[in-house]
mmCIF file of all heavy atoms in Angstrom:
data_model
loop_
_atom_site.group_PDB
_atom_site.id
_atom_site.type_symbol
_atom_site.label_atom_id
_atom_site.label_comp_id
_atom_site.label_asym_id
_atom_site.label_seq_id
_atom_site.Cartn_x
_atom_site.Cartn_y
_atom_site.Cartn_z
ATOM 1 N N GLY A 1452 -9.259 -71.893 -6.873
ATOM 2 C CA GLY A 1452 -10.721 -71.960 -7.078
ATOM 3 C C GLY A 1452 -11.424 -70.749 -6.532
ATOM 4 O O GLY A 1452 -12.301 -70.148 -7.140
ATOM 5 N N ARG A 1453 -10.981 -70.375 -5.271
ATOM 6 C CA ARG A 1453 -11.591 -69.180 -4.701
ATOM 7 C C ARG A 1453 -11.258 -67.934 -5.490
ATOM 8 O O ARG A 1453 -12.118 -67.030 -5.665
ATOM 9 C CB ARG A 1453 -11.052 -69.017 -3.235
ATOM 10 C CG ARG A 1453 -11.594 -70.066 -2.290
ATOM 11 C CD ARG A 1453 -11.350 -69.626 -0.829
ATOM 12 N NE ARG A 1453 -9.921 -69.461 -0.536
ATOM 13 C CZ ARG A 1453 -9.182 -70.424 -0.098
ATOM 14 N NH1 ARG A 1453 -9.659 -71.646 0.109
ATOM 15 N NH2 ARG A 1453 -7.914 -70.192 0.191
ATOM 16 N N GLU A 1454 -10.045 -67.879 -6.040
ATOM 17 C CA GLU A 1454 -9.641 -66.723 -6.839
ATOM 18 C C GLU A 1454 -10.470 -66.608 -8.112
ATOM 19 O O GLU A 1454 -10.951 -65.553 -8.503
ATOM 20 C CB GLU A 1454 -8.160 -66.877 -7.202
ATOM 21 C CG GLU A 1454 -7.575 -65.564 -7.672
ATOM 22 C CD GLU A 1454 -6.066 -65.698 -7.858
ATOM 23 O OE1 GLU A 1454 -5.647 -66.680 -8.512
ATOM 24 O OE2 GLU A 1454 -5.307 -64.848 -7.381
ATOM 25 N N MET A 1455 -10.729 -67.814 -8.746
ATOM 26 C CA MET A 1455 -11.576 -67.833 -9.946
ATOM 27 C C MET A 1455 -13.007 -67.430 -9.665
ATOM 28 O O MET A 1455 -13.696 -66.713 -10.404
ATOM 29 C CB MET A 1455 -11.532 -69.214 -10.570
ATOM 30 C CG MET A 1455 -10.176 -69.578 -11.164
ATOM 31 S SD MET A 1455 -10.149 -71.281 -11.773
ATOM 32 C CE MET A 1455 -11.339 -71.164 -13.100
ATOM 33 N N GLN A 1456 -13.559 -67.920 -8.500
ATOM 34 C CA GLN A 1456 -14.878 -67.567 -8.113
ATOM 35 C C GLN A 1456 -15.015 -66.068 -7.870
ATOM 36 O O GLN A 1456 -16.021 -65.411 -8.229
ATOM 37 C CB GLN A 1456 -15.288 -68.339 -6.848
ATOM 38 C CG GLN A 1456 -15.485 -69.858 -7.058
ATOM 39 C CD GLN A 1456 -15.807 -70.596 -5.792
ATOM 40 O OE1 GLN A 1456 -15.889 -69.986 -4.740
ATOM 41 N NE2 GLN A 1456 -15.962 -71.886 -5.920
ATOM 42 N N SER A 1457 -13.999 -65.484 -7.250
ATOM 43 C CA SER A 1457 -14.001 -64.055 -6.959
ATOM 44 C C SER A 1457 -13.991 -63.293 -8.288
ATOM 45 O O SER A 1457 -14.704 -62.269 -8.441
ATOM 46 C CB SER A 1457 -12.773 -63.690 -6.118
ATOM 47 O OG SER A 1457 -12.732 -62.300 -5.924
ATOM 48 N N GLY A 1458 -13.213 -63.734 -9.260
ATOM 49 C CA GLY A 1458 -13.121 -63.078 -10.572
ATOM 50 C C GLY A 1458 -14.461 -63.162 -11.286
ATOM 51 O O GLY A 1458 -14.904 -62.164 -11.855
ATOM 52 N N ASN A 1459 -15.137 -64.322 -11.238
ATOM 53 C CA ASN A 1459 -16.439 -64.418 -11.909
ATOM 54 C C ASN A 1459 -17.477 -63.554 -11.255
ATOM 55 O O ASN A 1459 -18.348 -62.955 -11.920
ATOM 56 C CB ASN A 1459 -16.908 -65.914 -11.850
ATOM 57 C CG ASN A 1459 -16.039 -66.826 -12.751
ATOM 58 O OD1 ASN A 1459 -15.446 -66.336 -13.691
ATOM 59 N ND2 ASN A 1459 -15.955 -68.102 -12.413
ATOM 60 N N TYR A 1460 -17.425 -63.466 -9.925
ATOM 61 C CA TYR A 1460 -18.390 -62.606 -9.193
ATOM 62 C C TYR A 1460 -18.237 -61.156 -9.557
ATOM 63 O O TYR A 1460 -19.195 -60.419 -9.837
ATOM 64 C CB TYR A 1460 -18.112 -62.803 -7.683
ATOM 65 C CG TYR A 1460 -19.064 -61.977 -6.787
ATOM 66 C CD1 TYR A 1460 -20.422 -62.272 -6.722
ATOM 67 C CD2 TYR A 1460 -18.535 -60.870 -6.050
ATOM 68 C CE1 TYR A 1460 -21.244 -61.534 -5.882
ATOM 69 C CE2 TYR A 1460 -19.413 -60.126 -5.268
ATOM 70 C CZ TYR A 1460 -20.756 -60.442 -5.160
ATOM 71 O OH TYR A 1460 -21.539 -59.735 -4.393
ATOM 72 N N LYS A 1461 -16.990 -60.714 -9.771
ATOM 73 C CA LYS A 1461 -16.721 -59.320 -10.133
ATOM 74 C C LYS A 1461 -17.278 -59.075 -11.601
ATOM 75 O O LYS A 1461 -17.824 -57.972 -11.853
ATOM 76 C CB LYS A 1461 -15.274 -59.011 -10.101
ATOM 77 C CG LYS A 1461 -14.688 -58.924 -8.660
ATOM 78 C CD LYS A 1461 -13.218 -58.684 -8.644
ATOM 79 C CE LYS A 1461 -12.638 -58.623 -7.233
ATOM 80 N NZ LYS A 1461 -11.178 -58.395 -7.231
ATOM 81 N N LYS A 1462 -17.139 -60.055 -12.435
ATOM 82 C CA LYS A 1462 -17.599 -59.896 -13.855
ATOM 83 C C LYS A 1462 -19.132 -59.772 -13.844
ATOM 84 O O LYS A 1462 -19.677 -58.923 -14.578
ATOM 85 C CB LYS A 1462 -17.196 -61.100 -14.706
ATOM 86 C CG LYS A 1462 -15.692 -61.149 -14.980
ATOM 87 C CD LYS A 1462 -15.358 -62.385 -15.812
ATOM 88 C CE LYS A 1462 -13.898 -62.447 -16.105
ATOM 89 N NZ LYS A 1462 -13.561 -63.629 -16.878
ATOM 90 N N TRP A 1463 -19.835 -60.539 -13.008
ATOM 91 C CA TRP A 1463 -21.276 -60.448 -12.957
ATOM 92 C C TRP A 1463 -21.743 -59.098 -12.391
ATOM 93 O O TRP A 1463 -22.723 -58.508 -12.954
ATOM 94 C CB TRP A 1463 -21.880 -61.544 -12.061
ATOM 95 C CG TRP A 1463 -21.984 -62.842 -12.790
ATOM 96 C CD1 TRP A 1463 -21.261 -63.973 -12.596
ATOM 97 C CD2 TRP A 1463 -22.930 -63.158 -13.805
ATOM 98 N NE1 TRP A 1463 -21.657 -64.954 -13.462
ATOM 99 C CE2 TRP A 1463 -22.702 -64.499 -14.195
ATOM 100 C CE3 TRP A 1463 -23.971 -62.437 -14.448
ATOM 101 C CZ2 TRP A 1463 -23.448 -65.147 -15.201
ATOM 102 C CZ3 TRP A 1463 -24.724 -63.073 -15.429
ATOM 103 C CH2 TRP A 1463 -24.448 -64.403 -15.789
ATOM 104 N N ILE A 1464 -21.056 -58.617 -11.430
ATOM 105 C CA ILE A 1464 -21.431 -57.269 -10.877
ATOM 106 C C ILE A 1464 -21.255 -56.173 -11.944
ATOM 107 O O ILE A 1464 -22.114 -55.315 -12.134
ATOM 108 C CB ILE A 1464 -20.569 -56.950 -9.647
ATOM 109 C CG1 ILE A 1464 -20.939 -57.847 -8.498
ATOM 110 C CG2 ILE A 1464 -20.705 -55.459 -9.222
ATOM 111 C CD1 ILE A 1464 -20.098 -57.670 -7.237
#
Side-chain angles (χ1 to χ4, degrees):
R1453 289 195 299 270
E1454 196 173 49
M1455 291 176 65
Q1456 290 176 2
S1457 176
N1459 291 335
Y1460 180 70
K1461 290 178 181 179
K1462 289 179 181 179
W1463 277 109
I1464 291 177

